[in-house]
Amino acid sequence: MLHTPQPNLAVEQQSPARAGTDRPLSQGIGHKNILLGMSSSQPADVALRAATDLANQFDAHLHVRQIVDSSTPRSAGEETLAVLKTRVEPFLNQTGKHGTISVLPYANHFDNREMGTAVTLLEEAQGTHASLIILGAHRSDNG
């Protein structure tokens, strides 16, 4: 039996600023944006499904990003983008949600790929005004 990992989605907990309010999360956050960090893995497909469901539920825009090594040739980046669009667009079309799909290199000054990817995603979250960041489960080659 194949076990498909589920995305690790954090549930909002009451913060001191929200304590005592019975207002749902969907109110008061203005225009809603969800940022999804994608890869070519099966867990990323599970995260994509969860992200489109949440975008639909909260009437949010979905911004999908795949981060690549900064030394990736432009032609390879364009191919990665074409594959990413093929995977993502059916989900967006099915829900009728607005979204953006991009492949981005992480900054050259990072020697560590994980750090470069994380910082690039955080910069994208700030740039898209994301209320939520979703990532699929990731396991390094070292286990």
Side-chain angles (χ1 to χ4, degrees), residues 19-32:
T21 67
D22 54 359
R23 186 174 81 201
L25 174 63
S26 60
Q27 293 179 354
I29 60 174
H31 184 71
K32 294 170 282 295

Side-chain angles (χ1 to χ4, degrees), residues 10-26:
V11 176
E12 181 198 22
Q13 295 183 6
Q14 287 280 331
S15 66
R18 286 187 41 88
T21 67
D22 54 359
R23 186 174 81 201
L25 174 63
S26 60

